[in-house]
Amino acid sequence: MVKMQCRECKNIYVRATNAPYKKLCPPCYKKRYAIPLTDSDKSLIAVNEAYKALTIKSDTLKSKYEDLIHSYEAIQHRRPDDFSLRLKTLLSLCHPDKHNNNQTATEITQWLLSNRSK
Ligand SMILES: [Zn+2]
């Protein structure tokens, strides 16, 4: 037996290894030649429909999960709302003009300025 994908409906079906000419699943073959569907054909259609529905739900869940991960990462890297205001205060407090051009004050001011736009 070989697992195949139906040319018509794209569903998976199983055919005999020695029947490579069978390119359609039994329901599609029977629909094409107006042959009545059996209960097992109807079951195969139902199983394939259920599988498709599960796949859609699974894709939706995956997409929601990825959205949550992205939001979480965004929150992790977000600065507090008062960051800019506090940075301005820090700059005014340690500005070298207020500390006789002290070397440390200059370095810290430059460091704060370099972090302002990040
Ligand atoms: Zn088919």
Side-chain angles (χ1 to χ4, degrees):
M1 299 299 258
V2 185
K3 223 179 188 181
M4 297 287 296
Q5 186 176 32
C6 175
R7 266 191 186 169
E8 194 83 20
C9 67
K10 309 296 179 209
N11 286 337
I12 302 300
Y13 70 101
V14 176
R15 70 153 169 76
T17 313
N18 63 353
Y21 51 87
K22 289 186 174 177
K23 308 283 187 197
L24 298 175
C25 69
C28 286
Y29 178 83
K30 289 177 182 175
K31 280 178 197 168
R32 178 177 284 183
Y33 297 102
I35 301 167
L37 296 177
T38 63
D39 284 346
S40 75
D41 294 328
K42 290 172 188 168
S43 297
L44 180 64
I45 293 169
V47 165
N48 277 321
E49 291 305 317
Y51 177 75
K52 276 182 191 167
L54 279 175
T55 305
I56 290 166
K57 277 186 185 169
S58 163
D59 288 348
T60 305
L61 280 173
K62 190 178 170 198
S63 144
K64 282 184 180 173
Y65 169 76
E66 284 169 357
D67 288 350
L68 279 172
I69 292 296
H70 285 132
S71 312
Y72 174 77
E73 285 170 357
I75 288 167
Q76 290 295 94
H77 295 102
R78 194 175 63 196
R79 288 181 160 161
D81 293 338
D82 62 349
F83 180 83
S84 300
L85 188 65
R86 289 184 182 245
L87 185 60
K88 220 175 197 177
T89 307
L90 281 170
L91 279 165
S92 72
L93 286 171
C94 73
H95 198 279
D97 288 352
K98 294 183 179 171
H99 301 280
N100 286 330
N101 291 322
N102 175 286
Q103 182 60 33
T104 305
T106 305
E107 285 171 19
I108 293 299
T109 299
Q110 285 168 348
W111 182 81
L112 286 172
L113 288 170
S114 75
N115 279 280
R116 192 162 53 178
S117 58
K118 283 182 187 171

